[in-house]
Amino acid sequence: MMSSKQTADVIVLGGGLGGCMAALAVAKTGYNVVMTEETDWLGGQLTTQAVPPDEHRWIESFGCTATYREFRDRVRAYYQTNYPMKEQAAKDPILNPGNGWVSRLCHEPKVALRVIEDMLAPYLNSGRITVMYNVRAIGAETEGDYVKSVTVQDCASSETHTLTGTYYIDATECGDILPLAGVEHVMGAESKDETGEPHALDVADPYDMQGFTHVFALDYVPDGDFTIPKPEQYDFWRQHVPNNTKLPLFSWFSNDADNMDKLKEFCLFPDERGLMSLWTYRRIIDPALFEDGLYASDISLINWAQNDYNRGIIYGVSEEERQKHLEGARQLSLSLVYWLQTETPRPDGGKGYPGLRLRKDVMGTEDGLAKSPYIRESRRIKAVYTIAEKDVSKEIRAEAGICRYEDSVGVGSYHLDLHATTVSERSFYIPNYPYEIPLGSLLPIRVKNLIPGCKNIGTTQITNGCYRLHPTEWNIGESAGYLAAYAIKNGITPHDVRAQEGHLKSFQKLIEQQGVEIHWPDDMEM
């Protein structure tokens, strides 16, 4: 088996949103980066996982970094520059290409990929950022409180590469570097005694994690028949009844986000019943916006309660167990496709829509499923400061309002949204106040040169439910990249940046100059 060695100022493990922005921030400050990615696409949630951005209601004017706003502007400009569009859409400054209702900006994964690559292009083409595709971390060498190297392996050839840097940013989807490097961390559900959170479990369970989802893309040709072969596990999933609802998983009922004790009825396509349409929920192409005939159909990304997989976990377990549940999630999504094509009840009394078609081209895969599953919950560092329910919950904070941190390095907002977990099958949708990202949550309690770069920061399982979303992950990665660069430039550790007031103020000034908003306005309307 061949092996090689690579060295850079900063090693970024993981090419998702946090990883890409960490790499971009480091490169902008003049340092070199090696970034790894398990697939052949960068972009994580927006691309390989195919999840349109979940955002907050102020996103068009405030509450994200300048680069995230640039990304959104570039996506809109990409459509308006390159696609034949209707006149009104071509001039719409807040264009939503899919008119999906999950977000103000629903778009194709390949467009997000192109825009992210364009944003990185000056540093990729100059060699300041090197990307290693199709590799996965398999080991790490440490000395005391420092990571000395990380070893990655090519997913196809098994060739190994030893990566050495001054700083390491773990932006992997599952916090994979934390156990490899012996970084103190938690996974799954904490207990009330540990976090003081009213919604925490009485007894901690590290294997009680949020479900994950294997997203897929569909369009609809009414006169067509694109029925897939019956999936191997279809009979199981067709009759599966989750304990938290007591209703078949494959139905048009789901927990009501506003009251998790109640069920809400949905429908597939919009009809006269006035029910919420899941087809338009994450729709990424609305043909009405484009030149007639360009798109034969809407295209929708399917990430629903019906394909949330919570029958097992894919980290902290054996490789055999991991593969079992990765395949289980894949089988669940394919079974949902087959049910929609053959058995779902139609308003006219018939069954199934065989004209639903898996769009393999949209995903860049052979089966029409996303390149990677959408993983909501990661391992999380034991941090200098851990964000808990009391920091975010509107009910708990009441008149205190937004929790403001002197060491804030970013902002975000989203409900504390916990999808059904693997053991207790709990789910929450707790109203929130907009939140800030304390620098202390990016600092491991011991290790000095590893920084979390995405949803593996110091949150609890419950607050992970809001800090995991697209703009927040983007902000975490960007701030992590600037933190590593600042530490290198000044010859100090990230912990010193927080501990020394002069450095903290200087670092915050740096990231603000780069367009990172660190506090919400005092006069904002809730």
Side-chain angles (χ1 to χ4, degrees), residues 11 105 137 156 160 199 202 284 331 355 365-366 413 415 462 469 492:
I11 306 298
L105 186 62
T160 61
H199 286 90
D202 291 331
I284 55 171
Q331 284 287 319
T365 61
E366 290 298 317
S413 185
H415 282 66
I462 292 173
L469 278 305
I492 59 176

Side-chain angles (χ1 to χ4, degrees), residues 436-456:
E436 298 177 353
I437 305 169
L439 177 56
S441 69
L442 274 66
L443 303 177
I445 56 174
R446 179 183 59 85
V447 178
K448 300 296 191 291
N449 70 332
L450 182 139
I451 304 169
C454 53
K455 54 184 176 288
N456 53 351

Side-chain angles (χ1 to χ4, degrees), residues 131-317:
V131 180
M132 302 177 66
Y133 290 99
N134 298 302
V135 298
R136 185 181 180 200
I138 60 169
E141 180 187 358
T142 62
E143 184 177 301
D145 296 339
Y146 289 85
V147 179
K148 305 301 290 184
S149 68
V150 172
T151 300
V152 298
Q153 185 175 55
D154 188 284
C155 297
S157 69
S158 296
E159 181 179 358
T160 61
H161 309 272
T162 300
L163 311 179
T164 304
T166 305
Y167 281 90
Y168 300 82
I169 295 176
D170 183 352
T172 60
E173 295 298 326
C174 299
D176 291 335
I177 313 306
L178 305 183
L180 294 176
V183 180
E184 290 81 0
H185 66 278
V186 297
M187 63 183 207
E190 301 94 341
S191 70
K192 285 185 171 68
D193 288 343
E194 291 173 309
T195 68
E197 295 172 306
H199 286 90
L201 291 177
D202 291 331
V203 179
D205 188 342
Y207 298 102
D208 192 19
M209 301 181 193
Q210 287 190 73
F212 62 96
T213 304
H214 215 136
V215 180
F216 53 91
L218 292 177
D219 67 1
Y220 180 54
V221 181
D223 297 330
D225 186 349
F226 303 99
T227 305
I228 64 172
K230 181 180 176 181
E232 181 181 336
Q233 296 181 17
Y234 179 72
D235 291 337
F236 171 82
W237 290 113
R238 177 65 184 86
Q239 60 188 2
H240 179 59
V241 178
N243 291 326
N244 61 330
T245 64
K246 304 299 183 185
L247 289 170
L249 179 62
F250 290 174
S251 74
W252 292 110
F253 291 88
S254 183
N255 291 106
D256 188 337
D258 295 323
N259 184 343
M260 299 303 283
D261 295 325
K262 293 183 179 180
L263 293 175
K264 189 169 186 176
E265 184 177 4
F266 295 88
C267 62
L268 179 56
F269 300 118
D271 60 39
E272 66 279 356
R273 292 175 295 171
L275 300 173
M276 275 190 157
S277 164
L278 290 182
W279 180 254
T280 57
Y281 176 44
R282 294 185 184 273
R283 184 175 60 186
I284 55 171
I285 287 295
D286 179 357
L289 301 178
F290 299 86
E291 183 180 273
D292 291 343
L294 181 64
Y295 284 93
S297 163
D298 300 352
I299 302 175
S300 187
L301 295 175
I302 310 305
N303 172 15
W304 303 342
Q306 290 93 326
N307 60 328
D308 271 4
Y309 181 88
N310 69 340
R311 291 187 59 79
I313 62 177
I314 56 173
Y315 58 88
V317 293

